[in-house]
Amino acid sequence: VLKICHHAAQNAASLYYYRITRAVGLATDQGGGAEAILNTNYYGPKRVSEAMLDLIDPDSGRIVNVSSGVASMWVRDQDAATKALFSNPDLAQEELDTAVQACVAAGNVGMGGGYGLSKAALSALTLVQAKMWPKLKVVSLSPGFIDTPMTHGFGARLTPEQGCVAPLRCLFGDVTSGFYYGSDGKRSPLTCTRDPGTPEYQGEAVPSPAVYNS
């Protein structure tokens, strides 16, 4: 994929993309451990962003990181310092990478042998990129637990069409750079889960589960 991105960048000097969406993912350990999941779900989107950056419209372009509700589930269960780091709008790339590696070393990788950490890291990367590239709109989202051949039998209930609500808003609607959007297309907290249909997150420092969980 990275080679394709570099090829596109080299052969489209006059072309601008308005939106780049990354919806790749490993949900479970396929034999490579947490590092393999992180390489796909966190480092992969990071590399694609950097490779394609010069092709994104500098004034109105968007980067949409497809994260997961599992991201906020993982952050919710962390200590106060880790919660603060993974939701810090002034987070630096080096700080995030160090924290991710520390979590791997400690075995604190969440469900799926690393899926939880990888998606939390992707949502945190959104904060980093929003600060690095202030003229772009960089957002992350959860599409919801969509019933597809990959998730069949695991309790997924959303149709593929329902899974398009958040991506369509983030691609074409009114959004704020750095924000994370739930599967219903509404802003959601990073440090606790928010169920669709509950009030939209208002940015409070300590979101209450009683408000955002039905």
Side-chain angles (χ1 to χ4, degrees), residues 20-110:
I20 291 181
T21 308
R22 282 79 55 85
V24 298
L26 288 178
T28 58
D29 185 354
Q30 304 293 313
E35 288 288 1
I37 297 175
L38 284 161
N39 190 47
T40 299
N41 295 355
Y42 169 54
Y43 296 112
K46 177 177 179 291
R47 290 191 292 265
V48 170
S49 294
E50 293 168 349
M52 300 293 287
L53 182 62
D54 290 342
L55 292 181
I56 303 174
D57 187 285
D59 296 315
S60 59
R62 296 188 183 194
I63 295 175
V64 179
N65 292 316
V66 180
S67 183
S68 167
V70 174
S72 55
M73 290 173 58
W74 183 87
V75 177
R76 176 195 63 192
D77 296 335
Q78 303 306 307
D79 60 31
T82 305
K83 285 183 180 179
L85 187 146
F86 277 81
S87 60
N88 179 11
D90 293 318
L91 183 63
Q93 184 68 68
E94 297 79 6
E95 187 179 12
L96 176 57
D97 287 339
T98 298
V100 167
Q101 289 305 311
C103 288
V104 172
N108 181 19
V109 297

Side-chain angles (χ1 to χ4, degrees), residues 50-187:
E50 293 168 349
M52 300 293 287
L53 182 62
D54 290 342
L55 292 181
I56 303 174
D57 187 285
D59 296 315
S60 59
R62 296 188 183 194
I63 295 175
V64 179
N65 292 316
V66 180
S67 183
S68 167
V70 174
S72 55
M73 290 173 58
W74 183 87
V75 177
R76 176 195 63 192
D77 296 335
Q78 303 306 307
D79 60 31
T82 305
K83 285 183 180 179
L85 187 146
F86 277 81
S87 60
N88 179 11
D90 293 318
L91 183 63
Q93 184 68 68
E94 297 79 6
E95 187 179 12
L96 176 57
D97 287 339
T98 298
V100 167
Q101 289 305 311
C103 288
V104 172
N108 181 19
V109 297
M111 66 167 291
Y115 184 73
L117 172 62
S118 73
K119 289 298 187 176
L122 181 59
S123 294
L125 176 66
T126 302
L127 300 172
V128 174
Q129 293 178 333
K131 181 181 177 182
M132 287 176 57
W133 305 320
K135 290 187 176 182
L136 302 180
K137 286 188 175 180
V138 187
V139 297
S140 62
L141 65 90
S142 167
F145 199 17
I146 304 166
D147 187 12
T148 66
M150 184 176 71
T151 61
H152 187 70
F154 289 94
R157 298 180 180 179
L158 295 181
T159 66
E161 290 78 12
Q162 290 172 315
C164 292
V165 172
L168 286 174
R169 176 178 179 180
C170 289
L171 284 167
F172 304 108
D174 182 20
V175 293
T176 299
S177 194
F179 284 9
Y180 164 69
Y181 292 86
S183 61
D184 57 359
K186 294 183 179 181
R187 185 189 179 190

Side-chain angles (χ1 to χ4, degrees), residues 3-16:
K3 289 182 179 179
I4 293 173
C5 291
H6 282 305
H7 179 76
Q10 292 169 359
N11 290 276
S14 61
L15 176 67
Y16 276 142

